Amino acid sequence: MHVPDGFIDAPTSAVTAVVAAGALAVSLRGARRELDERTAPLAGLVAAFIFAVQMLNFPVAGGTSGHLLGGALAAILVGPYTAVLCVSVVLLMQGVLFADGGLTALGVNITDMAIVTTVVSYAVFRGLLAVLPRKRRSVTVASFVAALVSVPAAAVAFTLIYAVGGTTDVSLGKVATAMIGVHVLIGVGEAVITALTVGAVIAVRPDLVHGARGLHQRLRLRVDGVLVDAPAPTAPVAARTSRRTLWVTGLVTSLVLAGFVSFYASASPDGLEKVAHDKGIDKKAEKHAASDSPLADYGVKDVKDARLSGGLAGVIGVGVTIVAGTAVFWAVRRRRTDDVSPVNTAV
């Protein structure tokens, strides 16, 4: 789904850049309410994990592959505002260091892959939780459906952007049919990855999962023939693992996925690449400005062994992403602390 330079014209790319900048500004403010000293490190880890899993293209029908977009996963784990920032950090690292996704198309990619997927998935997720039993299993089920819907939603968004600013004369109906069709299949993979990851985290630290807050339904007692809410328990639910253990486990998992498992990922073109080639959308694709980067195309320059080159690039990518993401989220958390300090609350 990473849109290269040249697919969308300059005016439309500029408009999406303004939209993306506005959304990031809103997300920075919103993330202050979502992040605290417990969840800020987790947000950086989520960004690194998304980077790692996006390297694992899985095969779908017709010689096409897909990969995680990550908006739904991040929104459910750390909140929708923080999720937009998470995916945007990943897209920035990919575009600047790995020549994946055009730099002039960065606004398009953030709008499509960070904003649309997060907004749609979180709306679906919250809607489902409102009608499902308030149990942990419901969070996993809702995350599956939300992730499934978010991918074709991103395909629809790209189609609309292409309709406004596409640089090639291709039937909009053909583009829409091909994009939505293949991304429904990719959405199944997104849903499985998202549900498994959310389920794994909620099993050990439900208190850290944004989408699981307020999950347990209050016990109701009958008093004098009237049902009343029982007092909330004073003792918190015991965590099955520490935050440090969860963080280290997540980091090691990300490094293994990016540094080793990624070598076995599908080499088939992803959904957008396949549709662009088959329908002629890529006729005016431009050379990436970072194509000479030492890490371009997820390999380390001058390292001849393909396995070692790709593995090193993946490890570097995870490291850079977690450092950049954690720096952003700690800064946001500190800004929140400053906003509620005694000095700032004085009348």
Side-chain angles (χ1 to χ4, degrees):
M1 188 66 76
H2 294 75
V3 179
D5 295 319
F7 278 27
I8 306 298
D9 62 27
T12 306
S13 297
V15 170
T16 58
V18 172
V19 171
L24 289 175
V26 172
S27 296
L28 283 169
R29 293 182 63 87
R32 294 182 203 170
R33 300 189 298 271
E34 294 174 343
L35 294 172
D36 55 31
E37 68 280 356
R38 299 182 310 150
T39 56
L42 179 62
L45 178 62
V46 168
F49 182 77
I50 290 174
F51 175 91
V53 180
Q54 283 196 2
M55 293 183 66
L56 308 181
N57 281 46
F58 49 84
V60 294
T64 308
S65 70
H67 62 71
L68 181 81
L69 299 185
L73 175 62
I76 294 164
L77 289 179
V78 294
Y81 293 107
T82 307
V84 171
L85 300 178
C86 278
V87 180
S88 297
V89 167
V90 173
L91 292 172
L92 182 61
M93 294 300 102
Q94 290 171 331
V96 172
L97 298 179
F98 298 92
D100 188 9
L103 297 183
T104 62
L106 186 59
V108 175
N109 285 320
I110 290 176
T111 300
D112 195 22
M113 296 178 64
I115 301 170
V116 171
T117 58
T118 298
V119 171
V120 171
S121 64
Y122 199 68
V124 172
F125 177 77
R126 279 300 173 193
L128 289 172
L129 281 191
V131 298
L132 291 172
R134 299 182 65 79
K135 300 179 179 179
R136 294 182 185 179
R137 183 176 299 176
S138 297
V139 175
T140 305
V141 171
S143 67
F144 181 94
V145 178
L148 176 64
V149 174
S150 70
V151 178
V156 170
F158 169 79
T159 303
L160 294 176
I161 294 172
Y162 176 81
V164 174
T167 56
T168 52
D169 186 17
V170 180
S171 167
L172 184 61
K174 292 181 179 179
V175 174
T177 300
M179 282 292 293
I180 296 171
V182 71
H183 284 91
V184 167
L185 299 177
I186 295 173
V188 176
E190 177 102 9
V192 171
I193 295 170
T194 300
L196 288 175
T197 305
V198 170
V201 177
I202 206 172
V204 294
R205 287 303 299 258
D207 58 309
L208 296 181
V209 178
H210 181 89
R213 292 177 180 176
L215 180 64
H216 297 288
Q217 194 169 21
R218 291 288 293 274
L219 176 66
R220 309 198 75 192
L221 302 176
R222 186 176 297 275
V223 179
D224 296 329
V226 179
L227 287 175
V228 297
D229 288 335
T234 56
V237 178
R240 295 179 58 182
T241 188
S242 68
R243 279 182 288 149
R244 177 177 296 181
T245 300
L246 176 64
W247 194 90
V248 171
T249 301
L251 177 59
V252 170
T253 301
S254 300
L255 291 171
V256 170
L257 291 176
F260 177 72
V261 181
S262 62
F263 182 79
Y264 301 97
S266 172
S268 299
D270 68 21
L272 177 59
E273 290 175 326
K274 180 67 172 176
V275 172
H277 177 74
D278 290 349
K279 305 302 179 184
I281 298 175
D282 60 355
K283 290 180 180 178
K284 295 187 177 181
E286 299 174 1
K287 183 180 179 180
H288 199 288
S291 60
D292 294 329
S293 164
L295 299 173
D297 298 322
Y298 298 95
V300 177
K301 188 176 181 180
D302 297 330
V303 176
K304 303 303 182 182
D305 184 274
R307 186 189 299 255
L308 179 60
S309 177
L312 287 174
V315 169
I316 293 170
V318 168
V320 172
T321 302
I322 199 167
V323 169
T326 301
V328 169
F329 299 126
W330 272 109
V332 171
R333 189 198 70 83
R334 289 197 61 179
R335 182 66 180 272
R336 168 184 171 171
T337 303
D338 293 342
D339 288 344
V340 300
S341 65
V343 173
N344 290 329
T345 55
V347 178

